[in-house]
Amino acid sequence: MREVIIIGSGPAGYTAGIYTARAGLNPLLIASSVEAGGELMKTTEVENYPGFPTGLQGPELMDAFRAQAERFGTEVLLDDVIEVDLSGTVKIVKTGGGQTFEAKTVILATGAAYRELGLPKEKELSGHGVSWCATCDGFFFREKTIAVIGGGDSAMEEANFLTRFASKVYLIHRRDTFKASKIMQERALANPKIEVIWNTEVAELLGDGKLSGIVTRNTVDGTTAQLDLDGLFIAVGNDPRVWLVENQVELTAEKFIKVDGRSSKTSLPGVFACGDVIDPTYRQAITAAGSGCVAALDAEHYLASVK
């Protein structure tokens, strides 16, 4: 019987691991078989995490988080959770590797997944010109013409990063203003390789077996046009990963896990949630880490109370 099982890694999960391990709770952190470290493993330069004045790469930051969690005794398992039963006093967690664990508390740090456009051919062309990860695939588009879809910080970062490789980057946004932070907007708008196409959405993906272009639709007058492209990078947000627990814990109207006020307490006793899976607003590494700390302290207090 485990005191604590943490499902998910990233800043929230690893911070929860650090705090619960230092409290002597011997946590098991199930980090995923292929996505350990969360979304920051796909991020380039991280400039705004305190303590690193010159910045560092996302994977480098997550490696440091994991090393610190393991230093204090967090057991990290590279496997995927496929089923949970959180309703009873004893929580049941099953993995794709065939293991079943029992715990007194569970911390959910499952994060959020890249959002798709929902267009025909999107899945078919994934990896064949359509991507959600500039750091993963940007290298393949040297001297090519590509487009980035979105208007937030992620879209700005991806567009700027991709100019290292591509000869031309279109930044397509469905509105006439960006929602990205001012500094990220300024960088994108000042980059000579980036051309912004305002008030526009993607109506169709073109190409058989490989992306050859897109059909765009103007969101003001409805006119369409064809844009020839070698690559398309989608950065239109994320959806919380709640499929494991959506029928067990209460969710918000936006389908994030609902917690009690500023705590990490979910609708089930002994079950706590933290990070992007509870946060539709801020979605920063530092807020996720703080959230993971809260979850760890809440779990520690809960265990003390039930004893």
Side-chain angles (χ1 to χ4, degrees):
M1 172 78 69
R2 300 273 181 166
E3 297 289 305
V4 181
I5 290 178
I6 301 163
I7 302 175
S9 47
Y14 283 139
T15 302
I18 291 168
Y19 274 78
T20 52
R22 292 185 74 250
L25 299 177
N26 302 313
L28 170 65
L29 187 152
I30 306 176
S32 170
S33 62
V34 295
E35 295 183 328
E39 298 301 304
L40 275 180
M41 296 298 287
K42 303 170 184 176
T43 302
T44 52
E45 193 76 12
V46 179
E47 297 179 314
N48 56 3
Y49 199 88
F52 300 93
T54 60
L56 75 171
Q57 297 292 303
E60 184 183 359
L61 180 61
M62 286 301 91
D63 286 345
F65 268 69
R66 175 175 173 172
Q68 190 170 0
E70 290 181 321
R71 173 194 166 198
F72 291 114
T74 300
E75 179 184 349
V76 177
L77 176 63
L78 299 179
D79 202 348
D80 301 298
V81 177
I82 60 171
E83 184 181 345
V84 295
D85 183 352
L86 306 177
S87 57
T89 303
V90 177
K91 317 302 180 186
I92 310 297
V93 177
K94 297 181 180 180
T95 72
Q99 294 179 278
T100 298
F101 299 97
E102 296 182 345
K104 297 175 184 177
T105 62
V106 166
I107 294 175
L108 302 167
T110 48
Y114 292 123
R115 186 174 298 158
E116 297 181 356
L117 297 176
L119 294 172
K121 294 189 176 183
E122 190 168 2
K123 294 186 186 300
E124 171 191 335
L125 294 174
S126 176
H128 300 280
V130 175
S131 175
W132 287 260
C133 180
T135 56
C136 307
D137 301 327
F139 176 82
F140 300 109
F141 294 91
R142 288 188 178 277
E143 301 304 317
K144 303 290 186 181
T145 299
I146 60 178
V148 174
I149 312 299
D153 278 356
S154 294
M156 304 299 119
E157 181 182 17
E158 297 238 321
N160 274 303
F161 175 77
L162 288 166
T163 60
R164 301 182 188 182
F165 309 102
S167 58
K168 176 77 173 183
V169 177
Y170 292 101
L171 185 53
I172 301 174
H173 187 44
R174 60 184 177 179
R175 298 187 177 92
D176 59 1
T177 57
F178 291 131
K179 62 179 180 180
S181 59
K182 183 178 180 181
I183 188 171
M184 297 300 287
Q185 290 189 48
E186 289 174 346
R187 287 179 183 174
L189 294 172
N191 194 313
K193 283 190 176 182
I194 296 175
E195 179 181 338
V196 180
I197 303 178
W198 301 103
N199 296 316
T200 298
E201 61 186 6
V202 180
E204 184 181 352
L205 302 178
L206 304 175
D208 293 318
K210 183 179 179 181
L211 182 79
S212 61
I214 60 175
V215 174
T216 62
R217 180 189 298 116
N218 187 285
T219 57
V220 177
D221 59 24
T223 56
T224 61
Q226 181 172 325
L227 182 63
D228 294 333
L229 295 173
D230 300 296
L232 179 70
F233 289 79
I234 301 170
V236 294
N238 301 270
D239 293 311
R241 292 188 174 102
V242 296
W243 67 270
L244 266 177
V245 298
E246 59 186 342
N247 296 320
Q248 298 186 52
V249 300
E250 186 176 354
L251 305 180
T252 68
E254 298 168 293
K255 301 301 182 182
F256 289 80
I257 295 177
K258 185 176 182 179
V259 292
D260 182 14
R262 296 185 63 187
S263 80
S264 66
K265 300 173 185 176
T266 71
S267 57
L268 293 177
V271 180
F272 307 92
C274 56
D276 286 355
V277 78
I278 69 168
D279 178 15
T281 306
Y282 300 105
R283 302 185 48 76
Q284 300 295 307
I286 190 168
T287 54
S291 178
C293 169
V294 170
L297 296 175
D298 285 344
E300 182 183 355
H301 296 157
Y302 171 82
L303 289 167
S305 70
V306 295
K307 286 179 182 178

